[in-house]
Amino acid sequence: MSQHPRDVLLGAQARTGTLPVCDHYSGVEARMRKSLQLQAELAQEFGSVVFDVTLDCEDGAPVGGEKEHAALVTELALGAAPDARVAVRVHPVDHPAFEDDIATIVGQAGHKLVHVMLPKVETVQDVERAARALDAAGAKNLALQGLIESPAAVHRAFDIAAHPRMQSLSFGLMDFVSAHGGAIPSAGMGVQGQFTHPLVVRAKLEISSACHAHGKVPSHGVVTEFKDQAAFRAAASRAANEFGYTRMWSIHPDQIRAIVEVFAPTANEIHKASQLLAAAEAAGWAPISFDGKLEDRASYRYYWQVLERAHATGRQLPDDARGWFATARP
């Protein structure tokens, strides 16, 4: 019996799982409800859930209304469709509302969540504290994702990414820039400056590298220019193709489809990956000659990940590749 490509090619390097390439954030009730509806609509269009919906407590909850907002998020998560992918961003571990967020939302709706986003992660100890809170709420298998937002956190990104509970790291651009006390100009938060200012570029690359070193998913953070689609798509392309990010935040519904399209492989890439892997499987995953080039398990691994990304973005797969995902591992 032939082995599944994921088992053969990833092995010990298997990732935490293939995540949708887009993570959409909303914290206002009407927008949260609309986001869940849009997720269902696009899932029907693409044949799979192509973005996560993260219900936001940190920026969504009004000051003094944290408990009420947590109750609302719990209600929305519990009411989500069975195949929905719903997450929550709680308050930081040092915020007075953190424990209540976990006890209320995770304690009641943890079984409906795909992850918990932990903002302002500074140390591994922050991750440990959050993991203990999840365990105490009865969610021992629920993944954590972390938001790196300060120079010190960037310095510790490799250690944070190494934590077994951590699934993905994101970069908090706005807080990172403001943490420099004016040393980085405001242009460093813009659609162009965040890809050119040396300190911001360094931080993005550190986070991406830390994730790849430990088999975690690097998620590019906010690009606020949602009305300029050309500028936004260019930023998404740079995040994916130059900075090594395999996932990106959306803060407006108009950004979702652009992220999915930019992060998806092209039809030519999908076709080549399918043909090459079919030939490799027929050869028992031994080295082969393909289009005049020597290919082996290193390149097979790359092309398998192309197909995983194609599947996660709802791309049309050739017949000989479709069967692999009918039995794909979680």
Side-chain angles (χ1 to χ4, degrees):
M1 181 178 178
S2 63
Q3 291 180 282
H4 194 279
R6 171 173 276 274
D7 296 333
V8 174
L9 302 177
L10 299 187
Q13 298 183 30
R15 304 241 160 185
T16 54
T18 301
L19 297 176
V21 297
C22 180
D23 190 7
H24 180 65
Y25 279 72
S26 55
V28 177
E29 180 177 359
R31 293 173 186 168
M32 291 191 288
R33 294 186 185 278
K34 183 178 180 180
S35 298
L36 290 168
Q37 180 182 352
L38 182 59
Q39 185 187 70
E41 291 171 358
L42 290 188
Q44 187 172 20
E45 176 183 341
F46 287 103
S48 61
V49 177
V50 293
F51 71 95
D52 287 344
V53 171
T54 297
L55 307 176
D56 194 4
C57 289
E58 187 190 25
D59 289 342
V63 176
E66 290 87 357
K67 286 189 176 182
E68 292 79 6
H69 194 78
L72 171 62
V73 166
T74 302
E75 174 194 335
L76 293 175
L78 287 172
D83 59 346
R85 286 188 56 91
V86 185
V88 59
R89 175 164 68 163
V90 296
H91 287 86
V93 294
D94 59 356
H95 191 282
F98 170 74
E99 300 290 348
D100 283 341
D101 282 351
I102 298 296
T104 299
I105 303 168
V106 177
Q108 297 180 46
H111 62 287
K112 297 286 287 190
L113 301 177
V114 293
H115 69 262
V116 169
M117 169 57 75
L118 187 66
K120 294 179 173 57
V121 177
E122 290 291 320
T123 66
V124 173
Q125 288 69 35
D126 291 343
V127 182
E128 289 285 356
R129 179 176 172 181
R132 288 194 299 270
L134 293 186
D135 292 349
K140 292 187 176 182
N141 295 319
L142 185 58
L144 277 169
Q145 297 189 8
L147 187 53
I148 303 295
E149 304 183 63
S150 74
V154 170
H155 177 71
R156 303 183 189 107
F158 278 78
D159 292 334
I160 294 169
H163 194 282
R165 198 65 173 268
M166 193 58 65
Q167 182 185 57
S168 171
L169 290 182
S170 300
F171 178 47
L173 172 67
M174 308 303 181
D175 282 273
F176 178 82
V177 171
S178 63
H180 284 76
I184 300 176
S186 61
M189 295 185 284
V191 70
Q192 295 182 350
Q194 66 171 290
F195 293 100
T196 56
H197 192 283
L199 286 174
V200 181
V201 167
R202 174 182 172 272
K204 288 190 181 191
L205 293 176
E206 284 290 302
I207 293 167
S208 176
S209 296
C211 286
H212 290 299
H214 294 290
K216 309 301 171 68
V217 177
S219 183
H220 192 277
V222 172
V223 173
T224 57
E225 287 84 352
F226 57 84
K227 290 188 177 180
D228 187 340
Q229 277 290 307
F232 178 78
R233 291 178 75 95
S237 179
R238 294 199 71 179
N241 297 315
E242 297 178 31
F243 286 75
Y245 284 82
T246 57
R247 179 169 160 99
M248 186 170 180
W249 287 34
S250 160
I251 56 170
H252 190 279
D254 289 347
Q255 294 180 331
I256 295 172
R257 194 180 292 271
I259 292 172
V260 173
E261 291 175 356
V262 167
F263 277 72
T266 66
N268 286 340
E269 289 174 318
I270 296 169
H271 176 75
K272 179 176 180 179
S274 176
Q275 294 293 306
L276 190 152
L277 290 172
E281 183 182 43
W285 306 107
I288 62 171
S289 174
F290 187 87
D291 283 348
K293 289 178 58 181
L294 176 66
E295 306 285 359
D296 59 18
R297 290 200 185 188
S299 56
Y300 301 162
R301 186 178 303 116
Y302 170 84
Y303 286 108
W304 170 248
Q305 290 165 345
V306 167
L307 290 185
E308 284 192 316
R309 198 165 75 252
H311 179 67
T313 51
R315 304 298 103 171
Q316 183 68 36
L317 293 174
D319 291 340
D320 50 4
R322 207 169 295 147
W324 286 326
F325 291 94
T327 56
R329 308 310 192 257

